[in-house]
Amino acid sequence: MIALTVSLQVVPGRRDDFLAAIEENAERSFHDEPGCRSFDVVCDLDDDHHFVFHEIYDDEAAVGAHRSAPHFAVWRAAAAKYVVPGSQVNTLSRRLFHHS
């Protein structure tokens, strides 16, 4: 399993628009991408404009399919409006285990 973690800041006043866009992106990921296993979005308790996404995919090919899916272009356009420039940090990592 491959984890994609994204940390970013949302432009003040655009939080609700951002949440609608990321929710649509997550729903499309599950619908359109068989390799998408989970999509979590969390918000910093001390700063409700700082978000972290944690997405789980079957493998690197599934991450590639996510990035080339048509809805990802829609997300990128939304991110350009809602995300503070330069604040987004993406990390790909291998999931070693999961406990719940």
Side-chain angles (χ1 to χ4, degrees):
M1 299 294 232
I2 300 294
L4 171 60
T5 304
V6 180
S7 174
L8 54 79
Q9 291 285 124
V10 173
V11 173
R14 302 307 305 263
R15 183 177 181 270
D16 291 343
D17 296 327
F18 167 79
L19 287 173
I22 194 61
E23 185 173 7
E24 172 64 21
N25 184 50
E27 287 176 12
R28 298 304 318 168
S29 290
F30 278 117
H31 184 267
D32 296 345
E33 303 163 19
C36 181
R37 299 296 169 206
S38 77
F39 198 121
D40 297 315
V41 179
V42 296
C43 180
D44 189 318
L45 282 173
D46 296 324
D47 177 359
D48 72 351
H49 288 85
H50 179 225
F51 290 83
V52 175
F53 315 160
H54 187 73
E55 305 167 43
I56 301 293
Y57 294 90
D58 286 338
D59 51 30
E60 290 181 48
V63 173
H66 169 67
R67 289 180 171 157
S68 64
H71 70 271
F72 193 72
V74 174
W75 158 248
R76 280 190 152 326
K81 293 186 286 187
Y82 307 138
V83 176
V84 173
S87 71
Q88 184 169 326
V89 176
N90 299 348
T91 305
L92 274 181
S93 54
R94 195 160 309 284
R95 187 180 193 188
L96 299 177
F97 73 92
H98 173 75
H99 186 353
S100 59

